[in-house]
Amino acid sequence: MKELFLSIGQIFRISDSFAILISLCICVLWSIYFNWIKEKQKTEFQKQIEELKSKQDKLNYISKAQFEAEFNMYQELSEKSFEAVLKCSALFPIGFENIPIDEEAQLEVYQKKGNEAAEKLYTFQNLLYKYAPFIEESLYKQFDDIRLHIQKNVNLFPDYRLRNDIPKSVKIETECYERTQKIMDKQDILIKELRNYLKLLRVD
C-alpha cells in the first residue's frame, strides 16, 4: 500500500500524506460505487422476481378462471343431457310402463311423452352445439353419440305410439328398447370420464 501511496505521490509530485488521503478517497469512492452497483443489481433482481410472480399469479388466475368456466359448462351439459336421457328412457322404457287402457287417454300420455322428450333433446342439442368449440374432443364425441341415440328413439316414437296408419316392425321396436339401455349406459360412462377429466383439470 505504501508503494501505491509513493507512486501516486511521485506521479503527481505531492506529499505522502496527501497521497494517502487521495488513496483513501479513491477507496471510499470505490466502496460507494460498488455498493451502488450491488443495490442496483439487487433492485433489478427484485423487480424481475416481482414480474415473474405477477406473471405466475396471472397464469394461476387464468387457470382457475378457465377451470371454473369449463366446470360450469360441463355441469350445464351434464344436466341437460341427463334430462334428455330421462325423458327419452320413458319413450321405450325398460320394465313396467303405466299406461291408461282407454285409447284416447293413452294417446294423450304418448303425445306428452313424445313432446317432452323432443323438447329436452333440442335443448340438449342446442347447448352441445353452442359449446362444441370449447369441449374436449373425446368428451364432445361422447355427448354427441348420446344425442344421436336419443334422436333415433325420439324420431321413431311417433310411428310406434302415435300412428296406426303405418306397418310396425317388431325388430325396429325391439332395437328402440335396447337403445334405451345403451343410452343410459353411455351416460354413466360419460359421467365417470367427465369426473376424471375435471379432476385432472383442477387447479388448487
Side-chain angles (χ1 to χ4, degrees):
M1 195 70 169
K2 183 176 180 182
E3 288 77 4
L4 176 64
F5 298 153
L6 291 174
S7 61
I8 291 174
Q10 291 169 357
I11 291 170
F12 293 101
R13 297 174 184 265
I14 56 177
S15 67
D16 289 348
S17 300
F18 198 60
I20 291 171
L21 183 61
I22 291 174
S23 298
L24 289 173
C25 289
I26 290 173
C27 290
V28 169
L29 289 173
W30 174 253
S31 176
I32 292 171
Y33 176 74
F34 179 77
N35 288 334
W36 178 76
I37 291 292
K38 186 177 176 182
E39 286 299 318
K40 186 178 179 182
Q41 288 179 337
K42 182 179 177 182
T43 303
E44 189 63 30
F45 289 151
Q46 189 65 34
K47 183 180 177 182
Q48 290 176 2
I49 291 171
E50 290 299 325
E51 286 177 355
L52 289 172
K53 185 179 177 183
S54 178
K55 287 179 181 178
Q56 187 62 45
D57 290 343
K58 186 176 180 181
L59 287 173
N60 288 340
Y61 173 78
I62 292 172
S63 297
K64 288 177 182 178
Q66 180 185 357
F67 171 78
E68 289 177 6
E70 286 205 51
F71 182 85
N72 292 334
M73 177 180 66
Y74 285 120
Q75 185 179 42
E76 194 175 358
L77 274 170
S78 297
E79 178 187 353
K80 298 308 177 185
S81 66
F82 178 77
E83 289 175 357
V85 169
L86 186 65
K87 292 301 179 180
C88 178
S89 65
L91 301 181
F92 298 95
I94 299 168
F96 180 74
E97 184 178 18
N98 185 17
I99 298 295
I101 298 175
D102 179 70
E103 287 187 9
E104 189 174 339
Q106 192 177 96
L107 185 62
E108 287 181 7
V109 170
Y110 284 142
Q111 285 177 334
K112 183 180 179 182
K113 283 188 175 187
N115 290 337
E116 288 179 345
E119 180 186 345
K120 296 301 181 182
L121 167 63
Y122 296 144
T123 300
F124 166 48
Q125 179 176 274
N126 291 338
L127 194 66
L128 182 60
Y129 291 160
K130 173 185 174 182
Y131 289 136
F134 313 105
I135 304 173
E136 199 277 328
E137 187 175 2
S138 65
L139 293 173
Y140 172 80
K141 287 179 178 178
Q142 287 180 273
F143 273 116
D144 197 48
D145 187 40
I146 292 171
R147 179 193 66 80
L148 289 170
H149 277 69
I150 293 174
Q151 192 172 53
K152 286 180 182 178
N153 273 12
V154 168
N155 290 341
L156 287 167
F157 181 75
D159 293 344
Y160 284 84
R161 293 294 181 267
L162 301 177
R163 297 180 62 180
N164 295 318
D165 59 334
I166 60 171
K168 306 293 191 292
S169 167
V170 175
K171 180 178 180 295
I172 293 177
E173 186 174 5
T174 301
E175 287 175 353
C176 287
Y177 283 102
E178 291 174 349
R179 193 175 293 113
T180 298
Q181 185 61 58
K182 285 181 182 178
I183 291 169
M184 295 171 73
D185 291 342
K186 287 176 181 292
Q187 179 76 357
D188 288 341
I189 292 170
L190 173 59
I191 293 302
K192 289 177 183 177
E193 293 196 15
L194 188 55
R195 189 180 294 120
N196 291 333
Y197 173 76
L198 290 173
K199 283 181 181 177
L200 292 174
L201 188 69
R202 190 175 191 92
V203 177
D204 295 323

